[in-house]
Amino acid sequence: MSAIHFIVFLPLLAAAVAGFSNRAFGTMLPKVVTTGALFVAAALSWPIFIGFMNGSAEPHVAQVFTWMRSGDLDVSWGLRVDSLTAVMLVVVTSVSSLVHLYSWSYMEEDPDQPRFFAYLSLFTFAMLMLVTADNLLQMFFGWEGVGLASYLLIGFWFKKPSASAAAIKAFVVNRVGDLGFMLGIFGVFLVFGTISIPEILEAAPGYAGSTIGFLGYRLDTLTVLCLLLFVGAMGKSAQLGLHTWLPDAMEGPTPVSALIHAATMVTAGVFMVCRLSPLFEQAPVALGFVTFIGAATCLFAATVGTTQTDIKRVIAYSTCSQLGYMFFAAGVGMYGAAMFHLFTHAFFKALLFLGAGSVIHAMHHEQDMRYYGGLRKHIPVTFWTMMAGTLAITGVGIYWLHAGFAGFHSKDAILEAAYAAGGAGQGAFWVGVFAALLTSFYSWRLMFLTFWGKPRWTQSEHIQHALHDSHHDEAHGHAVAHADNPPAQEDAGHTPHAHARGAHETADGTGGYHPHESPLPMMIPLLILSLGAVFAGFVFNKFFIQPESGEIFWKGAVAFNEHLAHAMHEVPLWVKLSASIVMLLGLAGAWVAYVWKPGIPARFTATFDLLYKFLLNKWYFDELYNALFVKPAFWFGRFFWKKGDEGTIDRFGPNGSAALVKLGSVASAKLQSGYVYSYAFVMLIGLTAAVTWVIAR
């Protein structure tokens, strides 16, 4: 067996051990086995990645077994290893191993830790199957596997109604996208006669300009296939229209958010488009649609992120926005830049999610940023690691020194490529620049509300409960607002209402509560991910996007446009500086609004109330879908249930038959009087009828 076999199947073996262990083994065995397996997988993945960087590794396929044969369909289970796979291997295994370690402390009090670690490792196995797929059916296996595992992880706390609802929502929305992906796979097999990815990509240029019948029309073959495949990517990567599941998925434990919704599952759509990039290159209309959807998602999520108050939801919308950047980079043909941003984003976004989890841990599970403030002195390690993540996502760097944090190299490369591509790319460039301004604003807003200003902890229901439990000096009858009734929005011009003022109110606003730094198993992943947020862009950019070294690194794993790679480095200076300029503007705006003049947000939202409500309610997508799809679906369900099932099938079927038998039984019972003369009379009538019938004949 080769290293790739161990990388892929160790998480599956660990998931089985953790899942089938019982309480007799305790919680230590599942944690040790799953975490150890992932660290071994990560240790084996990095040499493969480094091998492609230094040119010593060559693409190859490690065969496992023949999966199935049916007519012309011959599916072998093979693990493809090339530079694109190598990038995803280090992303998936590195982030997953650190999330496993982080979960040791974060989930310490949860009684179902074996189940949690089993789900984490199962998810990692499915993701590794996806990124090593050599054919579309194998990719679909991993695709559905991560969908199943995400459902289990989002709804891990299944006794919590909101978590169960979020899991169902994620599952259903992804099924919509997966329908498109399945149709795309069926169409590819119909056209190419194979689902082997190398064979499809080799044959793709020969089908350029051909047409296929679809929905009663003759349409360009490759455009139809690529659009169907991209619908699947829209669902899995939460692009506009199929994005609504991603913010709700924050109901799962924070390590789940870091693993699934920052670094791995949501990037599956980007990976798929890049894997099939030679096919997409033959369908310019489809690429234009990818560019449009990516830019629209980038803008939408960035606007919504500016109004959210839940720390995890801010980062979730940030993820959605950054995925938009990756897609419009792929749409303009710079797949290397899309994968580069995927690579750097995995480190700094996982860092931000895990840092948010450390803040939540310190604040006794409080997630509302309006109840934070002044935390930088109390949890300094968390503060500085989140600062590194914020500097990375906002793209802080110095152009003339060619040095900066991770996002400075990857996000700026996307903007430069979009501008150099021209056409729809330039429109995406301007959208991306405006989204970068909003990204800087909401990222620094998060930092200022969390770590600066006066403590607002006494207004938190969770902190009040912690103080009550620690002091045992408050009566249980104190007025505590229910969690389902969120406090008034700070940005709407209201001060958050205290849930239980009085007993713990102090002059400094802390109420006597002392936030504490997280345990070492949570700190180590934050420190390691900080290194990625600081150095990943500077160290690896030449392998992903530089004209000469990039083509050598990718070795045909993605369609590398060398002309565009040269052009993006020759754009005007103002284009190269645009992201840095808007980053500074966003930083300044957030500092003025939340540090210097904290009354500005209230006045702004009071003046632009309709705009604020529009953004706060996420452009009313949930309400629109509820009106268009959810309510009609429930109406049809109730109609067929009451009128069809109960009113027709049950009435005239089993219930009707039973009623008829009962009625017949009652009638028959009345004939059974028990008197001999009654039976004799019936017999006489029968005999008379028989004689009459004979005479009549």
Side-chain angles (χ1 to χ4, degrees):
M1 294 180 69
S2 61
I4 189 63
H5 291 93
F6 284 101
I7 293 170
V8 173
F9 291 108
L10 270 178
L12 177 62
L13 178 62
V17 172
F20 289 108
S21 64
N22 57 34
R23 295 186 183 275
F25 293 97
T27 60
M28 187 53 66
L29 176 66
K31 292 195 289 189
V32 171
V33 170
T34 55
T35 306
L38 263 298
F39 271 98
V40 171
L44 294 173
S45 298
W46 277 96
I48 296 175
F49 180 58
I50 294 171
F52 281 101
M53 287 197 302
N54 60 30
S56 62
E58 290 295 329
H60 65 279
V61 178
Q63 293 295 338
V64 181
F65 55 81
T66 298
W67 191 3
M68 65 179 75
R69 287 193 181 96
S70 178
D72 294 333
L73 182 65
D74 188 346
V75 184
S76 295
W77 196 305
L79 306 177
R80 170 162 292 278
V81 182
D82 56 16
S83 52
L84 183 61
T85 304
V87 171
M88 296 303 296
L89 287 180
V90 296
V91 167
V92 174
T93 58
S94 299
V95 173
S96 182
S97 58
L98 294 174
V99 167
H100 275 73
L101 177 60
Y102 181 94
S103 301
W104 278 45
S105 291
Y106 194 87
M107 302 296 291
E108 187 176 12
E109 299 177 0
D110 197 290
D112 295 320
Q113 291 179 64
R115 179 166 61 91
F116 180 77
F117 282 91
Y119 288 170
L120 283 184
S121 291
L122 178 64
F123 170 85
T124 307
F125 163 72
M127 191 68 198
L128 291 171
M129 285 304 310
L130 192 158
V131 301
T132 57
D134 190 43
N135 59 71
L136 291 179
L137 188 59
Q138 186 180 334
M139 182 182 287
F140 188 72
F141 173 85
W143 195 272
E144 293 302 295
V146 294
L148 168 64
S150 68
Y151 169 79
L152 296 173
L153 285 166
I154 295 168
F156 177 75
W157 290 319
F158 56 86
K159 293 182 180 179
K160 183 181 177 184
S162 57
S164 297
I168 294 172
K169 185 175 183 180
F171 199 79
V172 170
V173 173
N174 272 275
R175 296 293 73 71
V176 176
D178 292 350
L179 174 62
F181 192 32
M182 286 190 290
L183 291 175
I185 295 174
F186 298 154
V188 165
F189 182 69
L190 176 66
V191 172
F192 293 93
T194 180
I195 56 172
S196 170
I197 293 175
E199 294 178 15
I200 294 167
L201 301 184
E202 183 180 358
Y207 288 89
S210 64
T211 60
I212 189 174
F214 184 70
L215 299 178
Y217 297 93
R218 298 298 300 181
L219 302 171
D220 183 78
T221 303
L222 298 186
T223 298
V224 171
L225 297 181
C226 289
L227 287 177
L228 289 173
L229 293 170
F230 181 63
V231 170
M234 288 176 63
K236 198 64 70 184
S237 294
Q239 292 301 283
L240 189 66
L242 297 177
H243 68 279
T244 53
W245 67 270
L246 182 61
D248 287 18
M250 297 303 105
E251 291 291 340
T254 298
V256 173
S257 304
L259 178 63
I260 297 181
H261 309 117
T264 51
M265 173 177 155
V266 292
T267 61
V270 179
F271 167 80
M272 186 264 284
V273 171
C274 291
R275 171 63 81 198
L276 301 177
S277 54
L279 180 66
F280 276 82
E281 283 294 296
Q282 304 301 320
V285 174
L287 282 180
F289 184 72
V290 173
T291 304
F292 171 78
I293 292 295
T297 305
C298 184
L299 176 64
F300 157 76
T303 59
V304 175
T306 60
T307 62
Q308 300 302 301
T309 56
D310 185 310
I311 188 171
K312 287 173 64 177
R313 283 182 177 264
V314 174
I315 303 174
Y317 278 107
S318 171
T319 298
C320 198
S321 182
Q322 299 305 307
L323 288 166
Y325 277 105
M326 299 175 206
F327 273 112
F328 78 67
V332 300
M334 197 58 190
Y335 305 97
M339 289 304 301
F340 186 30
H341 196 50
L342 185 156
F343 180 78
T344 61
H345 175 264
F347 293 106
F348 63 70
K349 187 52 62 67
L351 171 61
L352 288 171
F353 265 120
L354 295 184
S358 184
V359 172
I360 295 167
H361 184 269
M363 294 300 290
H364 202 72
H365 309 297
E366 179 60 73
Q367 295 184 198
D368 196 321
M369 297 185 299
R370 294 168 296 172
Y371 301 142
Y372 292 166
L375 287 174
R376 69 183 188 278
K377 296 179 181 178
H378 298 271
I379 47 174
V381 177
T382 300
F383 165 68
W384 284 111
T385 53
M386 287 198 71
M387 176 63 75
T390 301
L391 293 171
I393 193 174
T394 56
V396 174
I398 302 174
Y399 166 73
W400 291 276
L401 298 178
H402 301 288
F405 291 82
F408 169 77
H409 295 276
S410 58
K411 186 163 66 176
D412 287 23
I414 290 176
L415 294 175
E416 292 165 14
Y419 183 87
Q426 291 206 350
F429 164 77
W430 287 109
V431 171
V433 168
F434 183 62
L437 170 67
L438 298 178
T439 299
S440 178
F441 176 81
Y442 66 65
S443 297
W444 289 110
R445 170 179 176 264
L446 183 152
M447 292 296 291
F448 292 144
L449 282 175
T450 302
F451 295 105
W452 269 265
K454 294 181 179 180
R456 302 178 294 276
W457 312 338
T458 55
Q459 301 165 1
S460 166
E461 166 190 353
H462 299 274
I463 300 300
Q464 287 293 334
H465 279 289
L467 291 169
H468 180 273
D469 293 341
S470 63
H471 290 91
H472 297 283
D473 60 355
E474 287 188 334
H476 184 67
H478 268 294
V480 177
H482 194 275
D484 288 340
N485 297 318
Q489 298 293 333
E490 177 211 47
D491 286 348
H494 301 286
T495 302
H497 298 298
H499 290 283
R501 290 183 183 269
H504 300 305
E505 193 68 78
T506 59
D508 60 1
T510 66
Y513 182 75
H514 302 287
H516 51 87
E517 195 64 270
S518 298
L520 189 62
M522 293 174 66
M523 290 291 97
I524 292 174
L526 292 180
L527 294 171
I528 295 175
L529 289 169
S530 296
L531 296 177
V534 175
F535 298 111
F538 176 76
V539 173
F540 297 107
N541 80 87
K542 70 175 183 178
F543 301 104
F544 285 85
I545 58 176
Q546 296 299 329
E548 295 80 15
S549 54
E551 191 165 12
I552 296 173
F553 171 71
W554 289 116
K555 292 183 179 179
V558 301
F560 191 82
N561 189 331
E562 189 174 357
H563 171 73
L564 183 57
H566 281 286
M568 65 181 282
H569 294 293
E570 298 172 358
V571 296
L573 180 61
W574 68 267
V575 173
K576 297 179 179 181
L577 296 178
S578 58
S580 296
I581 293 171
V582 296
M583 179 276 298
L584 293 173
L585 292 175
L587 167 60
W591 182 80
V592 169
Y594 293 97
V595 178
W596 186 36
K597 299 285 187 181
I600 289 179
R603 293 196 296 271
F604 180 87
T605 53
T607 304
F608 300 99
D609 184 55
L610 290 178
L611 174 63
Y612 173 72
K613 289 180 178 178
F614 180 70
L615 299 181
L616 184 66
N617 288 284
K618 303 155 288 188
W619 292 24
Y620 292 101
F621 268 99
D622 283 320
E623 290 78 3
L624 179 63
Y625 286 175
N626 187 56
L628 291 180
F629 303 115
V630 178
K631 287 185 176 179
F634 275 105
W635 183 89
F636 275 109
R638 281 191 296 268
F639 175 81
F640 286 114
W641 168 31
K642 293 295 184 181
K643 301 296 183 182
D645 190 8
E646 293 184 351
T648 304
I649 297 175
D650 285 352
R651 180 183 178 186
F652 296 104
N655 291 349
S657 301
L660 188 61
V661 170
K662 180 181 179 181
L663 185 63
S665 301
V666 172
S668 300
K670 290 181 178 179
L671 295 177
Q672 303 296 322
S673 64
Y675 295 109
V676 175
Y677 59 80
S678 296
Y679 298 149
F681 178 69
V682 172
M683 292 173 64
L684 180 61
I685 292 176
L687 180 61
T688 303
V691 171
T692 303
W693 181 73
V694 171
I695 294 173
R697 292 193 62 185

